[in-house]
Amino acid sequence: MNINIETLVNAIYNYYNEYVYKKIIVEYQFTESGSYKFFVKYIMDSGEVVSTTKSPRPIDDEIEIVSKYFENTINTVERFNKFLIEIDNNKNFSENHFWDKGKEKDDLLAGAEIFFQWANDRMMSMIFEFEQENNLLPTQYDNDDELEYLSSWDSGVFTFHINDKNELEYKIVLTKDGVERVLEMSLKDYFIEGILEHHQITNTELSDEWKPWNTLIIKSPHNSIPYDKVDEFVSYILE
């Protein structure tokens, strides 16, 4: 293992000393992007499990050792998304790291369930950038005589359809003061890839959790979509 695990174990052993314990359990939970959660629990002689109340910040450098190891192995056969260390009160330790497919699926599902918000945010950003560059935004001067851009739309409907060739077709309809217009705008490559990947993941790895679809419709309120009203603004359909 290309990691100085002893340095990490020493830091944890010396720092986490709130209780007289039988052993300490340290757990990292990683997402594929590299972000992680870090947990420390004491196992007492009685078998009771006690969570720590101490911030890990003072030993952040040592804790990051595992994060760097994750980055170096994520694209290899050694990849992992869970890393566990057990340390007893004599500083004897054991380590185990592995790829938890259940966690992988949970992470995919969590990301898929909020994908609509990312898509809506990116669309609002792309529309503003496109209309600004093409002089399609109304403007005015503020009280300091500085030019400011006004909104060109109050709401919109974004329709994304994946055809039989696995190509993305789309339509952007914007509404201002009750008047609709179709915006002819190219999508950024990263956005197209994001839609296609979302379609692929939800129709394969998450097929037992997600109904089949090839068309995503987002009714944008020109701000963030309320999470408690998703069904009013987001539709996945199979055409």
Side-chain angles (χ1 to χ4, degrees):
M1 182 191 302
N2 187 21
I3 178 175
N4 191 349
I5 190 70
E6 288 81 7
T7 298
L8 174 58
V9 168
N10 285 333
I12 292 171
Y13 182 84
N14 293 329
Y15 180 67
Y16 286 104
N17 51 15
E18 300 155 275
Y19 305 99
V20 176
Y21 57 86
K22 182 178 181 180
K23 61 182 176 179
I24 297 175
I25 307 294
V26 178
E27 179 177 353
Y28 293 77
Q29 295 182 1
F30 285 87
T31 66
E32 284 198 78
S33 67
S35 62
Y36 64 88
K37 296 179 180 178
F38 178 78
F39 304 96
V40 175
K41 295 181 180 179
Y42 297 94
I43 309 298
M44 315 304 282
D45 285 336
S46 64
E48 181 185 4
V49 179
V50 180
S51 297
T52 183
T53 60
K54 298 181 74 171
S55 167
R57 188 174 299 277
I59 58 170
D60 273 353
D61 289 345
E62 289 81 1
I63 290 171
E64 277 294 299
I65 290 172
V66 174
S67 180
K68 292 181 175 63
Y69 182 51
F70 172 89
E71 293 172 1
N72 292 335
T73 59
I74 185 60
N75 294 315
T76 73
V77 294
E78 295 181 47
R79 70 174 187 159
F80 61 92
N81 58 14
K82 282 193 176 181
F83 194 101
L84 304 175
I85 305 172
E86 291 190 9
I87 310 170
D88 69 18
N89 54 17
N90 291 315
K91 205 162 46 173
N92 299 309
F93 70 91
S94 62
E95 176 275 327
N96 185 25
H97 61 282
F98 55 94
W99 190 266
D100 185 336
K101 289 187 175 295
K103 182 182 183 305
E104 177 186 23
K105 186 174 181 180
D106 289 343
D107 290 342
L108 287 174
L109 183 59
E113 288 177 338
I114 60 172
F115 178 83
F116 68 88
Q117 200 72 272
W118 176 85
N120 181 52
D121 289 345
R122 293 300 89 214
M123 284 297 296
M124 290 191 293
S125 177
M126 284 189 288
I127 290 170
F128 177 82
E129 179 182 332
F130 175 81
E131 294 199 321
Q132 183 185 41
E133 291 176 350
N134 290 276
N135 298 315
L136 298 176
L137 289 175
T139 59
Q140 70 177 19
Y141 286 92
D142 61 20
N143 294 334
D144 297 321
D145 206 30
E146 296 285 339
L147 183 68
E148 64 178 356
Y149 293 98
L150 304 177
S151 175
S152 66
W153 56 290
D154 301 320
S155 62
V157 178
F158 313 141
T159 303
F160 308 103
H161 175 73
I162 292 86
N163 63 27
D164 293 339
K165 297 179 181 179
N166 200 40
E167 298 170 336
L168 180 64
E169 301 170 357
Y170 63 93
K171 185 176 183 180
I172 305 167
V173 179
L174 304 178
T175 301
K176 177 71 173 179
D177 298 328
V179 179
E180 291 186 352
R181 63 185 170 97
V182 176
L183 182 65
E184 300 294 342
M185 179 188 78
S186 298
L187 300 178
K188 302 287 188 181
D189 288 345
Y190 78 85
F191 185 86
I192 295 174
E193 292 169 3
I195 294 285
L196 293 177
E197 182 181 40
H198 180 58
H199 175 257
Q200 188 271 329
I201 289 173
T202 52
N203 280 276
T204 54
E205 288 106 314
L206 299 177
S207 59
D208 56 343
E209 304 279 352
W210 209 281
K211 292 182 179 179
W213 67 277
N214 58 13
T215 302
L216 168 60
I217 302 172
I218 298 176
K219 298 178 181 178
S220 176
H222 202 182
N223 51 41
S224 295
I225 294 171
Y227 284 101
D228 60 344
K229 298 181 180 179
V230 173
D231 292 344
E232 296 179 23
F233 295 93
V234 181
S235 300
Y236 288 88
I237 60 177
L238 183 63
E239 296 182 328

